[in-house]
Amino acid sequence: MNNNKRINNIIEALGKHEDMDSVRVLEEIGTNSSIDEVREMTAQALIRKNCPESLKVVIATEGKGINDLSARVAMSAINELLSLDDKSQALKVLDETMENAEKQEIKDTARSVKTLITYSVQ
Amino acid sequence: MDKLSIGKFNFGVIKQLSGTKKTEAQNTTSAQSNPFGINFKGNVYAADVFESSKPKNAAGASNGLIGKAAEKAKMFTSTIVGGINSFNNSLKSRFNTIISFGKQVKDNIAQSWENAKNTNIEFDFNGLKNYISSKFDYSYSVSNLQKKPVVQLEEMLLNELSA
């Protein structure tokens, strides 16, 4: 088993872990990684967790998830949000971000993603 | 000086000359052809192979139909015997080829066996175990990793990223 596969499996295991401390580990290590693939995998794992804590990291935090500087990572996170079965938690976090985010750029991104989700649902 | 005339010419000399020429021609033809055999596919089979050691007592039989039939029978038998001989020769040569091939195969097998005996074969179970475990590393499967505490997973992730 190569290194990338092991990293992928650990991130996936953290995403499925019942202990909510896993969100902290993913945020601290995964989303701050210098490797695009690791950030992409971490954002996907946090979105699949589909809990308010993990969704806040990828929606309301600057430079992470849908706000990542890498277009590939941001688009991958948006695509993962669109493919969620239950989008209610994501919409709730997006609304909170649109209201409470300090930076306008983050608010605009949240608004765009919410529009996309709304159109995709209809 | 006597005059030469055709009437006085002695024809005996010509007869003698022609007679000698004839005998020479007969000798050459007899040398070229085989009066005692037949030519069959390039092999000459002697008809007198089974010539009886007993003298022929019936003079009429040699000249009659029975004699001719006997000659033909001899020729036929001789042909068969010659054919059998040639067949035996060809069979022997084929058998020799097969035998030499068998000997060669046997030598090769013996040589291979000697090589195999001298070759030291070792089965590295530890290497095989490591190879299999590296190919099927179940300790890094998602289901197994989920059972581990988050702190341990954090350490593992840091180690993998720093590797």
Side-chain angles (χ1 to χ4, degrees):
Chain A
M1 190 181 284
N2 58 13
N3 186 258
N4 288 339
K5 185 73 178 168
R6 286 198 291 266
I7 291 168
N8 186 32
N9 284 8
I10 293 167
I11 290 170
E12 202 178 328
L14 283 165
K16 291 177 178 176
H17 212 284
E18 291 177 357
D19 190 351
M20 289 309 289
D21 194 36
S22 59
V23 178
R24 178 192 61 80
V25 174
L26 286 170
E27 187 184 0
E28 284 181 10
I29 301 168
T31 56
N32 289 325
S33 172
S34 59
I35 306 163
D36 284 2
E37 285 80 9
V38 174
R39 292 203 309 276
E40 188 181 340
M41 284 188 285
T42 308
Q44 286 173 346
L46 286 165
I47 292 164
R48 283 190 207 125
K49 215 166 176 66
N50 204 8
C51 64
E53 290 82 7
S54 65
L55 289 170
K56 273 180 190 173
V57 174
V58 290
I59 292 169
T61 313
E62 188 182 5
K64 295 177 182 178
I66 60 170
N67 301 303
D68 200 286
L69 291 173
S70 167
R72 178 185 159 180
V73 177
M75 289 304 293
S76 176
I78 292 165
N79 196 41
E80 200 66 36
L81 282 168
L82 290 167
S83 62
L84 280 173
D85 291 330
D86 182 15
K87 297 182 181 69
S88 59
Q89 287 291 338
L91 286 168
K92 196 177 171 183
V93 173
L94 283 166
D95 286 336
E96 285 174 10
T97 308
M98 283 161 61
E99 287 175 14
N100 304 324
E102 291 177 1
K103 288 200 173 181
Q104 187 61 38
E105 197 179 343
I106 294 170
K107 283 182 180 177
D108 292 343
T109 310
R111 189 177 293 110
S112 302
V113 173
K114 191 193 172 184
T115 311
L116 267 173
I117 289 171
T118 311
Y119 277 115
S120 68
V121 169
Q122 289 173 352
Chain B
M1 209 177 158
D2 292 338
K3 288 180 182 177
L4 288 171
S5 63
I6 296 166
K8 288 179 179 179
F9 190 76
N10 191 2
F11 288 99
V13 179
I14 295 166
K15 280 179 184 174
Q16 273 185 344
L17 283 169
S18 65
T20 52
K21 277 184 181 176
K22 218 175 203 177
T23 51
E24 279 175 7
Q26 277 173 354
N27 287 337
T28 51
T29 50
S30 64
Q32 283 171 0
S33 65
N34 184 9
F36 302 108
I38 53 166
N39 200 326
F40 183 70
K41 287 186 179 178
N43 298 320
V44 176
Y45 302 108
D48 56 349
V49 175
F50 297 99
E51 190 67 39
S52 175
S53 58
K54 291 177 183 176
K56 289 174 185 174
N57 48 7
S62 61
N63 295 327
L65 285 171
I66 298 163
K68 283 180 181 176
E71 287 292 325
K72 280 189 177 178
K74 278 181 188 177
M75 209 176 285
F76 180 68
T77 319
S78 169
T79 309
I80 290 167
V81 170
I84 289 164
N85 285 333
S86 64
F87 177 72
N88 282 340
N89 287 333
S90 65
L91 203 65
K92 274 181 187 172
S93 66
R94 282 177 191 181
F95 270 129
N96 285 334
T97 314
I98 292 162
I99 288 161
S100 63
F101 174 73
K103 277 181 181 173
Q104 197 179 347
V105 170
K106 187 189 138 196
D107 291 343
N108 286 338
I109 289 165
Q111 197 179 354
S112 304
W113 177 245
E114 284 297 319
N115 288 335
K117 272 204 299 185
N118 294 328
T119 309
N120 191 16
I121 299 166
E122 287 180 356
F123 205 76
D124 188 9
F125 279 102
N126 287 327
L128 185 69
K129 187 184 158 190
N130 292 334
Y131 177 76
I132 291 168
S133 59
S134 68
K135 286 286 174 189
F136 305 100
D137 198 354
Y138 290 113
S139 64
Y140 275 90
S141 67
V142 178
S143 57
N144 281 340
L145 289 166
Q146 267 185 269
K147 293 169 189 170
K148 291 180 179 177
V150 175
V151 180
Q152 195 179 339
L153 290 174
E154 187 180 1
E155 284 177 12
M156 288 170 74
L157 186 60
L158 283 168
N159 288 333
E160 290 297 334
L161 287 170
S162 61

